[in-house]
Amino acid sequence: MATKKKSKSPGAATRKTPPNTLNGKVVSGRGSGTTESRDTARLLLQIEAIHCRPDNPYIFTSGRASPVYIDCRKIISFPEARAKIMSHAYRLIGKQIGWSKIDAVAGGETAGIPFAAFLAALAKKPMVYVRKQPKGFGRMAQIEGDLKPGKRVLLVEDLATDGGSKVVFIDALKRADAKVTDCFVIFHYGIFPQSVELLAAAGVKLHALATWWDALEAAEKHKYFDERGLSETHAFLEAPDQWSARHGGRQPAPRPMLGR
C-alpha cells in the first residue's frame, strides 16, 4: 500500500525515467513543479489519501483499471494537513485568478462542498453549493445559498478526472445567471486531455494544486511506493487506457459525462 512507507528497492536508485519525461524527453504541463504542488502531494500521501495497488488494480465506475487511487475526502479529517493544503489553495487561486475577481465560491455536490467552505472562509467570500440535479421538491433548487444574478463564481471540487461532472455544475450556475470562468480542484489526474478540453469548451479554465505526476514524484522522493508501484504507476500515467486493458479494465463508454 502506498500509505505505508517502503524502503526503496536496489533498482529504485537507478530508475532512469523520471515522472516528467516521455521517451527520454522532458514533457511540460504534467507536474505543476511548484512548492505548493509538491507539498500537497506529500501531504496527501502522508494522510493515506493516495493508495497504490498494482497487483490488485482499482476498478473505477468508468470500468477503467488503475494501479493508484486517491480519496481527497480524507483531507477533512486531518486538521494540520487540511490547513496547509487549503492555505496552498488560497494562495494559488490568488495568483492564478485573483480573489478580487471572485464574488462567491461554489462547491459541487458532495465532495466539493467542504473545500468550498474552507476557501470561502479564508477569502471571506459568500459560499453556495450546487446539486447534481434539482432537489425534486419544494423550490426545486439546484443551487443552495444566496446567489445573485451576475456574480462571478469560482467552482470548487475535490478532483478532476475527465471533467464531466464539472460541466453539470457550470451549466447550473450559468442558468442562474452566474459568471463562471474558473474551476479549482485539489487534485487533477492530468492524464486525460478531455478534462481541460470539456471545460475550455464551456469557457472555463481548470486550476489544480497537484496532479498524479506530482504524486508520483513525491512517492518516489519520500519512499511511499516501492519500485514496482513506481514503475506501474508511471506506465499507467503514460498510457492509462492501454494499462487498463492489460489489467482487466474495460474501455470507458464514449460519453462526455463519464467521470469527474
Side-chain angles (χ1 to χ4, degrees):
M1 245 203 177
T3 49
K4 292 185 180 179
K5 289 192 177 184
K6 299 181 180 180
S7 59
K8 191 179 287 187
S9 68
T14 58
R15 183 167 172 264
K16 294 181 179 179
T17 308
N20 284 9
T21 64
L22 177 59
N23 297 327
K25 298 180 180 180
V26 175
V27 179
S28 62
R30 292 191 173 190
S32 305
T34 66
T35 301
E36 291 84 0
S37 65
R38 293 191 180 103
D39 193 49
T40 297
R42 179 188 64 81
L43 289 165
L44 289 170
L45 285 158
Q46 184 180 56
I47 65 173
E48 301 185 7
I50 292 176
H51 303 272
C52 183
R53 201 174 68 187
D55 294 324
N56 184 19
Y58 300 93
I59 304 296
F60 298 148
T61 54
S62 65
R64 184 181 280 113
S66 169
V68 283
Y69 178 78
I70 181 164
D71 181 7
C72 287
R73 294 171 177 87
K74 291 196 73 173
I75 296 170
I76 66 177
S77 297
F78 294 86
E80 291 185 7
R82 183 182 71 209
K84 290 177 182 177
I85 290 172
M86 298 320 298
S87 178
H88 292 331
Y90 176 79
R91 287 198 297 272
L92 179 142
I93 293 166
K95 291 176 184 177
Q96 295 189 359
I97 305 171
W99 282 106
S100 64
K101 298 177 181 178
I102 298 168
D103 297 318
V105 180
E109 180 191 9
T110 58
I113 294 173
F115 301 113
F118 300 145
L119 282 169
L122 284 172
K124 296 181 173 58
K125 299 286 185 179
M127 181 233 168
V128 298
Y129 73 84
V130 191
R131 297 179 183 276
K132 295 172 184 175
Q133 297 178 340
K135 191 187 299 183
F137 58 88
R139 296 186 298 111
M140 300 294 289
Q142 189 168 1
I143 298 173
E144 300 290 357
D146 186 32
L147 181 61
K148 298 290 192 298
K151 294 297 182 182
R152 299 167 297 180
V153 177
L154 172 68
L155 175 64
V156 173
E157 278 257 75
D158 62 332
L159 62 84
T161 53
D162 67 9
S165 70
K166 312 297 177 289
V167 178
V168 173
F169 298 135
I170 290 165
D171 287 347
L173 288 164
K174 288 183 175 180
R175 284 196 298 271
D177 292 325
K179 296 178 181 178
V180 188
T181 58
D182 297 274
C183 173
F184 169 79
V185 295
I186 301 293
F187 197 90
H188 177 212
Y189 266 53
I191 56 176
F192 303 120
Q194 60 266 42
S195 61
V196 175
E197 293 166 359
L198 273 175
L199 296 187
V204 175
K205 184 176 181 179
L206 181 64
H207 306 265
L209 265 183
T211 70
W212 271 120
W213 298 103
D214 297 311
L216 183 59
E217 179 183 338
E220 181 171 20
K221 179 178 180 180
H222 301 287
K223 303 179 183 179
Y224 279 96
F225 291 8
D226 62 14
E227 180 63 15
R228 177 167 168 73
L230 291 170
S231 62
E232 290 296 330
T233 300
H234 187 267
F236 170 73
L237 298 185
E238 292 285 10
D241 289 334
Q242 291 88 331
W243 193 98
S244 175
R246 292 195 303 270
H247 293 82
R250 63 180 187 274
Q251 185 67 26
R255 292 183 297 141
M257 298 304 174
L258 189 61
R260 301 172 68 192

